[in-house]
Amino acid sequence: QVQLVESGGGLVRSGGSLRLSCAASGRTFSGYAMAWFRQAPGKERNFAAAISRSDGSTYYADSVKGRFTISRDNAKNTVSLQMNSLKPEDTAVYYCAAQSPRRTALNVYRPRDYDYWGQGTQVTVSS
């Protein structure tokens, strides 16, 4: 079992930056692939970024590539999302997700690829 708690959301002007953090419980954090998804009002939950459990490979949605950076600190059981050059269309609730090491195939882009979720943190970008 993994429990995830996000922090760092808030209100920022277009062009600004925010850093989201996700704190995970448990002693085997390094064995979990981690990701950030986001969900705007009335929209589906969409993939934003992921980081593998093994070699730290990163994956990004085209809409955030070059602006967002995902990273993890296995010693502190945290995963972060640095968001730069924010746009109003980045406004959403951002969710941290963890993929169990029991999964053998590293599929990272779909919500159903993940087993544990945080409660979400609101990010609002004003124009």
Side-chain angles (χ1 to χ4, degrees):
Q1 280 282 1
V2 174
Q3 292 185 322
L4 305 172
V5 179
E6 301 99 334
S7 61
L11 173 64
V12 64
R13 302 186 76 166
S14 182
S17 298
L18 279 175
R19 185 177 180 86
L20 305 183
S21 292
C22 174
S25 65
R27 296 174 294 176
T28 58
F29 174 75
S30 61
Y32 290 78
M34 302 296 296
W36 289 93
F37 284 76
R38 59 187 186 177
Q39 187 168 20
K43 301 281 185 67
E44 293 182 342
R45 189 170 297 190
N46 290 322
F47 172 78
I51 187 165
S52 73
R53 58 178 175 255
S54 54
D55 60 2
S57 296
T58 56
Y59 309 84
Y60 296 96
D62 288 343
S63 58
V64 309
K65 201 171 293 184
R67 300 187 298 122
F68 291 11
T69 302
I70 188 171
S71 60
R72 66 188 300 160
D73 186 336
N74 290 335
K76 296 182 178 179
N77 283 15
T78 59
V79 61
S80 299
L81 186 68
Q82 177 66 41
M83 304 186 295
N84 299 328
S85 303
L86 283 162
K87 306 174 182 179
E89 52 264 43
D90 294 317
T91 295
V93 177
Y94 282 70
Y95 296 91
C96 177
Q99 183 186 80
S100 170
R102 293 190 302 271
R103 292 180 184 256
T104 55
L106 185 59
N107 297 306
V108 301
Y109 299 105
R110 306 166 299 184
R112 65 175 184 268
D113 295 326
Y114 295 85
D115 303 285
Y116 305 100
W117 293 85
Q119 82 289 349
T121 185
Q122 176 70 48
V123 171
T124 303
V125 184
S126 64
S127 57

